[in-house]
Amino acid sequence: MPYIPFTDEQKVVANSVDLEYFLRSRGERLEKVGRQYKLIYTDGSGRHDSITMYGNTWYDHKNQVGGGAIKFMQYFYGMNFTDAVQELLGYTVTPLARSIPETAPEPKKEFKLPPKNKTMNRVYAYLIKQRYIAPEVLSHFAKEGKIYEDSEHHNAVFVGLDENRVPRQAHKRSTNSFGKTFRITVEGSDTDYSFAHYGTSGRLYVFEAPVDMLSYITLHPDNWQEHSYIAMNGVYESAVMKALEAHENLQHIVICTDNDEGGIDAYDRLNDLLQERGYTNVTRLYPTYKDFNEDLKAKNGQSPIIAVPHERKQTFYGNVDNLGYYPCRPDKLTSQLRAAFKNGQYRYLAEYALAGSAFFMRVKDESRAHSALKAKMRKEYRAYCDKGKLEVKRKELSSKLKEVLNDLKQPARTYEQSIAMAKRLYEFADCAVRVETEAELNNGPAEEMTEDEEQDEEAELSPLPTLS
């Protein structure tokens, strides 16, 4: 496919397409879950429903990856950047050319709480003796009907109530000491609600799971009922947003997710969502070990599971930190970028591009600007949006390279055009570091440009004039 130089506006429009409406137009099956939609599909490994979407954003809870509309097309359909943007723009510009198939939505299953057991002996034994939850904390939630034992399998049931204290959601967890742990959200649950406690202060503590929440309260019992706490049950950020809408006094959000890759990604994802909705007073509270129950176990003399560093994030940070600064030579920039890409030298590629970005910023101290761009790259990085396959990332890098080289043909620029060029080079450098990171995580060798790719670029490029 020939290279198409999309404008910034076109890319913004493509990335803003409503995915629910778009996917239905392609005949995909979706189910409404609260204010979000689940994508239901099958492949060789079975039926899947781990991808949720809201507006133009999506997230695969199983693989911990998400992003905007363009990235979805690359991730789910395996498209390159150009094909993804074209597909989305074609839909956006001429929506009437596509007809939405009339498919009857599946009826929503009625929500029913699992039947209660006459006692809570197994739940109390499990949460107190194995998880070390304080008896008085457990009794408080049990009296409110938010924790009980189901009669069929003796699971612990954690209940989410609405503003009228009506049960709307329930999460079951096995209480067995051995074997596989069982966790499931009861069918028909409204995921806008979750296991929670609401106090009078303006502070809301957010946890991944009910046991983490109960553990933190056990570790910090002083006046705990004054504050608010909520458990997302792993994936339901919508419950946090609903809680904030329903309780206007909540202004300070403390995210207490696990100290591992999933928990760190969950923090970044939720923090981004909160910032977009105007909640700026957000802080992060790390457990010492993997999660707050492991901290509680350690306090009671048990061996805890240690915290796990985020390998992807740390690798990306290391690659950014290792980027050296060499003053940009604009007359050599085209040949440097092409050679580095052809040889799979992603670090050199990022260094050339970032130096070029500092040059086109038209500042007095390019070295200082280069350092600021590296800091920006670290700050803006979101590992949860960066888990696509190496092949797809490299195709995106190739597409961005063609955009950059095409723009570098321009012999003269206004100040605004120069700043736009600086931005494009920065984004290209960021993409190069992501490819380098993915290659390292996959232990893959650098890939040279194929003969076809090289010929495509030769056909599109002309020598770059020297910039003064």
Side-chain angles (χ1 to χ4, degrees):
M1 174 175 290
Y3 164 64
I4 300 175
F6 299 110
T7 66
D8 289 340
E9 182 180 2
Q10 286 176 315
K11 285 184 282 189
V12 169
V13 170
N15 214 32
S16 302
V17 167
D18 186 293
L19 285 171
E20 181 264 331
Y21 189 59
F22 175 75
L23 291 175
R24 287 194 190 280
S25 76
R26 294 179 67 99
E28 301 290 359
R29 178 185 167 195
L30 292 98
E31 290 182 359
K32 191 170 178 61
V33 183
R35 290 179 297 175
Q36 298 180 325
Y37 289 88
K38 285 195 303 185
L39 175 62
I40 311 298
Y41 68 98
T42 57
D43 58 19
S45 62
R47 181 182 184 274
H48 304 280
D49 63 356
S50 64
I51 298 178
T52 59
M53 52 198 62
Y54 181 80
N56 68 318
T57 61
W58 62 279
Y59 190 74
D60 186 341
H61 299 277
K62 179 180 179 181
N63 296 312
Q64 298 282 294
V65 58
I70 294 174
K71 186 163 185 177
F72 179 84
M73 302 299 286
Q74 296 173 301
Y75 176 79
F76 189 74
Y77 293 112
M79 294 182 176
N80 59 36
F81 180 83
T82 300
D83 289 341
V85 174
Q86 275 196 310
E87 185 75 16
L88 292 164
L89 283 177
Y91 168 78
T92 306
V93 174
T94 57
L96 297 179
R98 298 172 182 264
S99 60
I100 300 175
E102 295 183 4
T103 55
E106 289 190 358
K108 182 176 174 58
K109 294 185 179 179
E110 182 183 359
F111 172 67
K112 291 183 179 179
L113 285 174
K116 291 184 180 181
N117 196 40
K118 292 180 180 180
T119 69
M120 288 185 60
N121 293 341
R122 292 199 190 181
V123 170
Y124 269 89
Y126 171 72
L127 292 176
I128 295 173
K129 294 181 179 180
Q130 294 186 45
R131 293 294 190 155
Y132 302 98
I133 305 300
E136 60 273 19
V137 172
L138 185 53
S139 295
H140 172 87
F141 286 95
K143 289 177 182 177
E144 290 199 330
K146 295 179 180 178
I147 299 178
Y148 68 90
E149 182 176 315
D150 80 69
S151 59
E152 186 176 1
H153 299 291
H154 302 282
N155 295 310
V157 181
F158 301 92
V159 182
L161 308 178
D162 66 13
E163 296 82 358
N164 298 315
R165 300 190 63 78
V166 175
R168 299 285 295 276
Q169 186 261 9
H171 186 77
K172 296 192 292 185
R173 193 194 193 289
S174 58
T175 57
N176 56 297
S177 305
F178 305 99
K180 215 170 182 181
T181 300
F182 170 80
R183 302 185 186 92
I184 192 170
T185 299
V186 174
E187 286 189 325
S189 289
D190 185 342
T191 54
D192 277 356
Y193 299 91
S194 191
F195 179 69
H197 166 82
Y198 297 106
T200 57
S201 81
R203 185 173 299 178
L204 173 66
Y205 293 88
V206 180
F207 300 86
E208 289 187 44
V211 172
D212 298 331
M213 173 178 150
L214 296 172
S215 299
Y216 180 84
I217 294 172
T218 299
L219 288 164
H220 303 88
D222 293 344
N223 303 316
W224 72 266
Q225 294 185 45
E226 294 180 2
H227 306 302
S228 298
Y229 311 81
I230 191 169
M232 295 188 292
N233 292 326
V235 301
Y236 300 129
E237 298 97 334
S238 59
V240 178
M241 306 313 298
K242 183 68 174 181
L244 293 170
E245 292 172 6
H247 301 83
E248 294 183 355
N249 65 306
L250 298 176
Q251 298 297 325
H252 181 190
I253 301 103
V254 185
I255 303 178
C256 308
T257 50
D258 293 357
N259 196 358
D260 61 8
E261 181 174 323
I264 294 169
D265 281 346
Y267 161 71
D268 283 339
R269 189 172 68 250
L270 180 56
N271 183 40
D272 288 344
L273 180 61
L274 289 167
Q275 298 291 336
E276 289 174 4
R277 302 292 178 84
Y279 297 98
T280 57
N281 190 5
V282 181
T283 54
R284 171 76 157 117
L285 188 59
Y286 284 95
T288 302
Y289 298 100
K290 176 187 173 293
D291 57 47
F292 285 103
N293 189 247
E294 296 301 323
D295 287 5
L296 186 56
K297 285 166 58 179
K299 185 178 180 180
N300 284 274
Q302 300 300 309
S303 298
I305 299 174
I306 63 172
V308 182
H310 197 305
E311 184 181 11
R312 179 176 298 277
K313 180 172 279 191
Q314 295 305 316
T315 302
F316 180 87
Y317 285 168
N319 287 333
V320 172
D321 293 341
N322 288 332
L323 294 178
Y325 170 66
Y326 307 97
C328 175
R329 298 182 60 186
D331 58 320
K332 300 290 186 181
L333 188 53
T334 290
S335 60
Q336 289 172 332
L337 293 176
R338 293 177 64 183
F341 178 77
K342 178 182 177 182
N343 296 322
Q345 298 169 315
Y346 302 122
R347 176 180 168 183
Y348 291 158
L349 199 59
E351 287 176 339
Y352 294 141
L354 211 60
S357 181
F359 170 82
F360 282 104
M361 287 171 66
R362 296 188 181 181
V363 294
K364 291 183 179 180
D365 191 338
E366 291 180 25
S367 175
R368 185 175 179 181
H370 184 271
S371 297
L373 290 172
K374 286 174 59 175
K376 174 182 171 67
M377 194 176 292
R378 282 183 57 116
K379 182 179 179 181
E380 293 180 341
Y381 181 67
R382 295 293 182 268
Y384 74 88
C385 292
D386 186 37
K387 296 184 181 179
K389 295 180 180 179
L390 178 59
E391 180 184 358
V392 174
K393 290 184 177 181
R394 192 169 181 275
K395 286 181 179 178
E396 181 180 1
L397 184 67
S398 177
S399 178
K400 287 183 177 294
L401 175 63
K402 291 175 182 179
E403 292 178 7
V404 165
L405 296 180
N406 187 64
D407 282 1
L408 284 174
K409 295 177 184 179
Q410 189 173 337
R413 291 176 176 80
T414 64
Y415 176 77
E416 289 75 16
Q417 290 172 330
S418 184
I419 295 301
M421 186 73 245
K423 180 181 178 182
R424 193 181 297 280
L425 281 164
Y426 166 79
E427 292 173 349
F428 178 65
D430 178 73
C431 187
V433 177
R434 290 169 187 262
V435 174
E436 179 187 21
T437 298
E438 193 66 39
E440 287 185 25
L441 292 173
N442 286 277
N443 296 316
E447 299 180 26
E448 294 189 359
M449 183 185 294
T450 66
E451 184 176 350
D452 288 342
E453 288 174 328
E454 188 173 1
Q455 289 176 351
D456 286 345
E457 289 203 356
E458 289 289 351
E460 292 186 21
L461 296 174
S462 60
L464 174 72
T466 302
L467 298 178
S468 56

Short mmCIF file of all heavy atoms in Angstrom, two decimals, residues 25-58:
data_model
loop_
_atom_site.label_atom_id
_atom_site.label_comp_id
_atom_site.label_asym_id
_atom_site.label_seq_id
_atom_site.Cartn_x
_atom_site.Cartn_y
_atom_site.Cartn_z
N SER A 25 -20.89 -2.03 13.49
CA SER A 25 -21.01 -1.88 12.04
C SER A 25 -20.21 -2.95 11.31
O SER A 25 -20.48 -3.25 10.15
CB SER A 25 -20.52 -0.49 11.61
OG SER A 25 -19.11 -0.40 11.63
N ARG A 26 -19.23 -3.53 11.98
CA ARG A 26 -18.44 -4.62 11.39
C ARG A 26 -19.02 -5.99 11.72
O ARG A 26 -18.43 -7.01 11.40
CB ARG A 26 -16.99 -4.54 11.89
CG ARG A 26 -16.25 -3.31 11.44
CD ARG A 26 -14.84 -3.30 12.02
NE ARG A 26 -14.02 -4.36 11.47
CZ ARG A 26 -13.15 -4.21 10.48
NH1 ARG A 26 -12.99 -3.02 9.92
NH2 ARG A 26 -12.43 -5.22 10.04
N GLY A 27 -20.14 -6.00 12.43
CA GLY A 27 -20.78 -7.27 12.76
C GLY A 27 -20.25 -7.92 14.02
O GLY A 27 -20.57 -9.08 14.30
N GLU A 28 -19.42 -7.19 14.80
CA GLU A 28 -18.91 -7.77 16.04
C GLU A 28 -20.01 -7.82 17.10
O GLU A 28 -20.95 -7.02 17.09
CB GLU A 28 -17.72 -6.95 16.57
CG GLU A 28 -16.55 -6.84 15.61
CD GLU A 28 -15.79 -8.14 15.44
OE1 GLU A 28 -16.16 -9.15 16.07
OE2 GLU A 28 -14.82 -8.14 14.65
N ARG A 29 -19.87 -8.73 18.04
CA ARG A 29 -20.85 -8.90 19.10
C ARG A 29 -20.37 -8.20 20.36
O ARG A 29 -19.23 -8.43 20.81
CB ARG A 29 -21.07 -10.39 19.37
CG ARG A 29 -22.05 -10.66 20.50
CD ARG A 29 -22.13 -12.15 20.79
NE ARG A 29 -22.82 -12.41 22.03
CZ ARG A 29 -22.79 -13.57 22.66
NH1 ARG A 29 -22.09 -14.59 22.18
NH2 ARG A 29 -23.44 -13.75 23.79
N LEU A 30 -21.21 -7.35 20.94
CA LEU A 30 -20.87 -6.64 22.16
C LEU A 30 -21.99 -6.79 23.18
O LEU A 30 -23.17 -6.90 22.81
CB LEU A 30 -20.61 -5.16 21.90
CG LEU A 30 -19.36 -4.83 21.08
CD1 LEU A 30 -19.72 -4.61 19.63
CD2 LEU A 30 -18.63 -3.63 21.65
N GLU A 31 -21.63 -6.77 24.45
CA GLU A 31 -22.60 -6.82 25.55
C GLU A 31 -22.38 -5.62 26.45
O GLU A 31 -21.24 -5.29 26.78
CB GLU A 31 -22.44 -8.11 26.36
CG GLU A 31 -22.88 -9.36 25.63
CD GLU A 31 -22.75 -10.60 26.50
OE1 GLU A 31 -22.30 -10.47 27.67
OE2 GLU A 31 -23.09 -11.70 26.02
N LYS A 32 -23.45 -4.98 26.86
CA LYS A 32 -23.36 -3.82 27.73
C LYS A 32 -23.11 -4.28 29.16
O LYS A 32 -23.78 -5.17 29.67
CB LYS A 32 -24.64 -2.99 27.65
CG LYS A 32 -24.54 -1.62 28.32
CD LYS A 32 -25.75 -0.78 28.00
CE LYS A 32 -25.69 0.58 28.69
NZ LYS A 32 -24.53 1.37 28.29
N VAL A 33 -22.13 -3.66 29.81
CA VAL A 33 -21.79 -3.95 31.21
C VAL A 33 -21.68 -2.61 31.92
O VAL A 33 -20.67 -1.92 31.82
CB VAL A 33 -20.46 -4.73 31.33
CG1 VAL A 33 -20.19 -5.06 32.79
CG2 VAL A 33 -20.49 -5.99 30.50
N GLY A 34 -22.74 -2.20 32.63
CA GLY A 34 -22.75 -0.87 33.22
C GLY A 34 -22.74 0.16 32.10
O GLY A 34 -23.57 0.12 31.19
N ARG A 35 -21.76 1.07 32.12
CA ARG A 35 -21.64 2.07 31.07
C ARG A 35 -20.65 1.64 29.99
O ARG A 35 -20.42 2.36 29.03
CB ARG A 35 -21.22 3.41 31.68
CG ARG A 35 -22.31 4.05 32.50
CD ARG A 35 -21.85 5.37 33.09
NE ARG A 35 -20.75 5.17 34.02
CZ ARG A 35 -20.09 6.16 34.62
NH1 ARG A 35 -20.42 7.39 34.36
NH2 ARG A 35 -19.12 5.90 35.47
N GLN A 36 -20.04 0.47 30.16
CA GLN A 36 -19.07 -0.03 29.20
C GLN A 36 -19.67 -1.14 28.36
O GLN A 36 -20.81 -1.56 28.58
CB GLN A 36 -17.83 -0.54 29.95
CG GLN A 36 -17.10 0.52 30.76
CD GLN A 36 -15.89 -0.06 31.46
OE1 GLN A 36 -15.88 -1.21 31.90
NE2 GLN A 36 -14.83 0.74 31.56
N TYR A 37 -18.88 -1.62 27.40
CA TYR A 37 -19.28 -2.75 26.56
C TYR A 37 -18.17 -3.79 26.58
O TYR A 37 -16.98 -3.45 26.60
CB TYR A 37 -19.54 -2.30 25.12
CG TYR A 37 -20.78 -1.47 24.96
CD1 TYR A 37 -20.74 -0.08 25.11
CD2 TYR A 37 -22.01 -2.06 24.66
CE1 TYR A 37 -21.89 0.69 24.97
CE2 TYR A 37 -23.15 -1.31 24.51
CZ TYR A 37 -23.09 0.07 24.67
OH TYR A 37 -24.23 0.82 24.54
N LYS A 38 -18.57 -5.06 26.57
CA LYS A 38 -17.62 -6.16 26.44
C LYS A 38 -17.68 -6.68 25.01
O LYS A 38 -18.76 -6.87 24.46
CB LYS A 38 -17.96 -7.30 27.39
CG LYS A 38 -17.62 -7.05 28.84
CD LYS A 38 -17.64 -8.34 29.65
CE LYS A 38 -18.98 -9.05 29.59
NZ LYS A 38 -19.01 -10.24 30.49
N LEU A 39 -16.50 -6.91 24.43
CA LEU A 39 -16.42 -7.51 23.11
C LEU A 39 -16.40 -9.03 23.28
O LEU A 39 -15.54 -9.57 23.97
CB LEU A 39 -15.15 -7.04 22.37
CG LEU A 39 -14.86 -7.67 21.01
CD1 LEU A 39 -15.97 -7.35 20.02
CD2 LEU A 39 -13.52 -7.19 20.48
N ILE A 40 -17.36 -9.71 22.65
CA ILE A 40 -17.45 -11.16 22.75
C ILE A 40 -16.99 -11.76 21.42
O ILE A 40 -17.54 -11.45 20.37
CB ILE A 40 -18.90 -11.62 23.03
CG1 ILE A 40 -19.49 -10.82 24.21
CG2 ILE A 40 -18.94 -13.11 23.31
CD1 ILE A 40 -18.79 -10.99 25.52
N TYR A 41 -15.96 -12.63 21.48
CA TYR A 41 -15.49 -13.26 20.26
C TYR A 41 -14.90 -14.63 20.58
O TYR A 41 -14.60 -14.95 21.74
CB TYR A 41 -14.44 -12.38 19.56
CG TYR A 41 -13.13 -12.24 20.31
CD1 TYR A 41 -12.03 -13.04 20.00
CD2 TYR A 41 -13.00 -11.31 21.34
CE1 TYR A 41 -10.84 -12.91 20.69
CE2 TYR A 41 -11.81 -11.18 22.04
CZ TYR A 41 -10.74 -11.98 21.71
OH TYR A 41 -9.56 -11.86 22.39
N THR A 42 -14.76 -15.43 19.56
CA THR A 42 -14.16 -16.76 19.72
C THR A 42 -13.01 -16.92 18.75
O THR A 42 -13.01 -16.34 17.65
CB THR A 42 -15.21 -17.87 19.46
OG1 THR A 42 -15.75 -17.71 18.15
CG2 THR A 42 -16.32 -17.82 20.49
N ASP A 43 -12.03 -17.71 19.16
CA ASP A 43 -10.93 -18.08 18.26
C ASP A 43 -10.56 -19.53 18.55
O ASP A 43 -11.34 -20.26 19.18
CB ASP A 43 -9.73 -17.13 18.44
CG ASP A 43 -9.19 -17.10 19.86
OD1 ASP A 43 -9.48 -18.05 20.63
OD2 ASP A 43 -8.48 -16.15 20.21
N GLY A 44 -9.41 -19.93 18.12
CA GLY A 44 -9.01 -21.32 18.30
C GLY A 44 -8.90 -21.76 19.74
O GLY A 44 -8.97 -22.96 20.03
N SER A 45 -8.73 -20.81 20.65
CA SER A 45 -8.57 -21.16 22.07
C SER A 45 -9.88 -21.06 22.85
O SER A 45 -9.91 -21.28 24.05
CB SER A 45 -7.51 -20.28 22.72
OG SER A 45 -7.89 -18.91 22.67
N GLY A 46 -10.98 -20.66 22.16
CA GLY A 46 -12.26 -20.62 22.85
C GLY A 46 -12.93 -19.26 22.82
O GLY A 46 -12.61 -18.40 21.99
N ARG A 47 -13.85 -19.06 23.75
CA ARG A 47 -14.64 -17.83 23.83
C ARG A 47 -13.92 -16.82 24.73
O ARG A 47 -13.39 -17.17 25.77
CB ARG A 47 -16.03 -18.13 24.41
CG ARG A 47 -16.96 -16.93 24.53
CD ARG A 47 -18.27 -17.39 25.16
NE ARG A 47 -19.27 -16.34 25.23
CZ ARG A 47 -19.36 -15.46 26.23
NH1 ARG A 47 -18.49 -15.51 27.23
NH2 ARG A 47 -20.30 -14.53 26.23
N HIS A 48 -13.96 -15.55 24.32
CA HIS A 48 -13.26 -14.52 25.08
C HIS A 48 -14.17 -13.32 25.32
O HIS A 48 -14.97 -12.95 24.47
CB HIS A 48 -12.01 -14.06 24.32
CG HIS A 48 -11.07 -15.17 23.99
ND1 HIS A 48 -10.18 -15.69 24.89
CD2 HIS A 48 -10.90 -15.86 22.83
CE1 HIS A 48 -9.49 -16.66 24.32
NE2 HIS A 48 -9.91 -16.79 23.07
N ASP A 49 -14.03 -12.70 26.49
CA ASP A 49 -14.82 -11.50 26.80
C ASP A 49 -14.03 -10.54 27.69
O ASP A 49 -14.58 -9.82 28.51
CB ASP A 49 -16.14 -11.88 27.48
CG ASP A 49 -15.94 -12.58 28.82
OD1 ASP A 49 -14.78 -12.84 29.20
OD2 ASP A 49 -16.94 -12.85 29.50
N SER A 50 -12.71 -10.55 27.53
CA SER A 50 -11.85 -9.75 28.42
C SER A 50 -11.66 -8.31 27.96
O SER A 50 -11.11 -7.49 28.70
CB SER A 50 -10.47 -10.41 28.57
OG SER A 50 -9.79 -10.43 27.32
N ILE A 51 -12.10 -7.97 26.73
CA ILE A 51 -11.91 -6.61 26.21
C ILE A 51 -13.15 -5.77 26.50
O ILE A 51 -14.25 -6.13 26.08
CB ILE A 51 -11.61 -6.63 24.71
CG1 ILE A 51 -10.32 -7.39 24.42
CG2 ILE A 51 -11.51 -5.20 24.17
CD1 ILE A 51 -9.98 -7.50 22.94
N THR A 52 -12.96 -4.67 27.22
CA THR A 52 -14.06 -3.74 27.47
C THR A 52 -13.75 -2.42 26.76
O THR A 52 -12.59 -2.09 26.50
CB THR A 52 -14.26 -3.48 28.97
OG1 THR A 52 -13.04 -2.95 29.53
CG2 THR A 52 -14.63 -4.75 29.70
N MET A 53 -14.79 -1.66 26.47
CA MET A 53 -14.58 -0.38 25.79
C MET A 53 -15.60 0.66 26.26
O MET A 53 -16.71 0.32 26.69
CB MET A 53 -14.66 -0.55 24.28
CG MET A 53 -15.88 -1.26 23.77
SD MET A 53 -15.61 -1.84 22.09
CE MET A 53 -14.25 -2.98 22.31
N TYR A 54 -15.17 1.89 26.19
CA TYR A 54 -16.02 3.03 26.57
C TYR A 54 -15.66 4.18 25.65
O TYR A 54 -14.53 4.69 25.70
CB TYR A 54 -15.79 3.42 28.03
CG TYR A 54 -16.65 4.57 28.50
CD1 TYR A 54 -17.98 4.38 28.86
CD2 TYR A 54 -16.13 5.86 28.57
CE1 TYR A 54 -18.76 5.43 29.29
CE2 TYR A 54 -16.90 6.93 29.00
CZ TYR A 54 -18.22 6.70 29.36
OH TYR A 54 -19.00 7.74 29.79
N GLY A 55 -16.60 4.54 24.77
CA GLY A 55 -16.29 5.60 23.80
C GLY A 55 -15.21 5.13 22.84
O GLY A 55 -15.34 4.09 22.20
N ASN A 56 -14.12 5.89 22.76
CA ASN A 56 -13.04 5.54 21.84
C ASN A 56 -11.89 4.82 22.54
O ASN A 56 -10.84 4.59 21.94
CB ASN A 56 -12.49 6.80 21.15
CG ASN A 56 -11.78 7.71 22.14
OD1 ASN A 56 -12.24 7.90 23.25
ND2 ASN A 56 -10.65 8.27 21.74
N THR A 57 -12.07 4.44 23.81
CA THR A 57 -11.00 3.77 24.55
C THR A 57 -11.38 2.32 24.82
O THR A 57 -12.56 1.98 24.93
CB THR A 57 -10.71 4.48 25.87
OG1 THR A 57 -11.89 4.46 26.69
CG2 THR A 57 -10.27 5.91 25.64
N TRP A 58 -10.38 1.46 24.97
CA TRP A 58 -10.61 0.04 25.21
C TRP A 58 -9.51 -0.49 26.12
O TRP A 58 -8.47 0.13 26.30
CB TRP A 58 -10.58 -0.74 23.88
CG TRP A 58 -9.24 -0.65 23.19
CD1 TRP A 58 -8.79 0.39 22.42
CD2 TRP A 58 -8.18 -1.60 23.25
NE1 TRP A 58 -7.52 0.15 21.98
CE2 TRP A 58 -7.11 -1.07 22.46
CE3 TRP A 58 -8.01 -2.84 23.85
CZ2 TRP A 58 -5.90 -1.75 22.30
CZ3 TRP A 58 -6.81 -3.52 23.68
CH2 TRP A 58 -5.78 -2.97 22.91
#
